[in-house]
Amino acid sequence: KQIILPHEDPAEFEALEAVVLEQCQPATDAERLLVDDMVVSRWKIRRIELARAAWLARDLRARGHEDRNLATAFALLTPEIQRFEKYAAAERRVLEKATRALRLMQEDRIAALQIKAKAERAQSPAEPPRPASMDRPKQAAHSAPLVSDALEL
C-alpha cells in the first residue's frame, strides 16, 4: 500500500516517523506496528488538512465575494469541506485508538518487567552483611598506606 503520494516528500514522512519513534520508543514488534499506524494516520491527517486548505483557497477565489468572511462561511458549508472533515475525523480516531493501545501495551510490559524483577529479588538468597574490614582491599606489606587508611590514623 502506497503511503507517500508522488507529489509528497519522503523526507518529511521519515522526519515525522523519526519524531514519533523517539517519543514512543517501541520495545517490541507489536509496539512498533502501533507506532507505524500512528505515523501513517498522522501523515494522512496532514494530507487531508493540506488538501482542505488548497480546496478552500480555490473555492474562495472562485466565489469572488467582496466579504471574505461571508465567502468563507459559504465555502465551509459545502459538501466537499464536510467530506474533508469526515476523513480527518476517521483518521483521528485511528490515531487515538493506536495511541491508547500503545500506552496500554507499554504499561503492561513495564508492569510485567517489574513483577519479574521483584520475583527474582525474592528468590535470590539474602546475603548476610559483611564486616566493613572485608570491604577494604588488602594492603601489601611493602606498599604505601591507602589514602582512606591515612585519614583513619
Side-chain angles (χ1 to χ4, degrees):
K1 197 173 182 181
Q2 178 89 17
I3 309 262
I4 302 170
L5 298 179
H7 68 279
E8 295 174 328
D9 185 1
E12 289 181 21
F13 180 83
E14 291 167 5
L16 172 64
E17 182 178 38
V19 167
V20 176
L21 281 170
E22 176 65 27
Q23 288 175 347
C24 297
Q25 299 182 357
T28 65
D29 290 340
E31 288 179 10
R32 176 58 200 247
L33 288 173
L34 289 170
V35 169
D36 289 346
D37 288 348
M38 293 166 59
V39 171
V40 169
S41 291
R42 185 62 202 119
W43 184 257
K44 287 180 179 180
I45 292 167
R46 175 187 171 277
R47 179 186 298 147
I48 293 165
E49 290 170 349
L50 290 172
R52 179 184 174 276
W55 188 91
L56 188 56
R58 183 192 58 81
D59 189 69
L60 290 174
R61 279 191 306 276
R63 287 180 187 276
H65 285 286
E66 288 182 27
D67 186 346
R68 301 295 279 170
N69 291 328
L70 185 58
T72 301
F74 285 134
L76 290 174
L77 294 173
T78 63
E80 292 82 7
I81 290 293
Q82 299 303 316
R83 270 182 277 187
F84 284 122
E85 296 299 329
K86 177 183 171 184
Y87 297 145
E91 286 303 323
R92 283 187 187 95
R93 285 190 299 275
V94 170
L95 177 60
E96 290 168 6
K97 182 179 177 182
T99 302
R100 238 184 343 268
L102 177 63
R103 186 179 312 117
L104 290 173
M105 191 176 288
Q106 288 179 331
E107 287 172 358
D108 289 347
R109 177 177 47 80
I110 291 168
L113 288 173
Q114 290 171 341
I115 290 169
K116 182 180 177 184
K118 188 176 181 180
E120 288 173 354
R121 282 193 306 271
Q123 288 181 352
S124 66
E127 292 184 25
R130 294 178 7 173
S133 62
M134 292 181 70
D135 291 336
R136 273 195 224 153
K138 292 192 177 178
Q139 182 175 326
H142 63 278
S143 67
L146 298 173
V147 173
S148 61
D149 291 340
L151 293 174
E152 290 176 5
L153 297 177

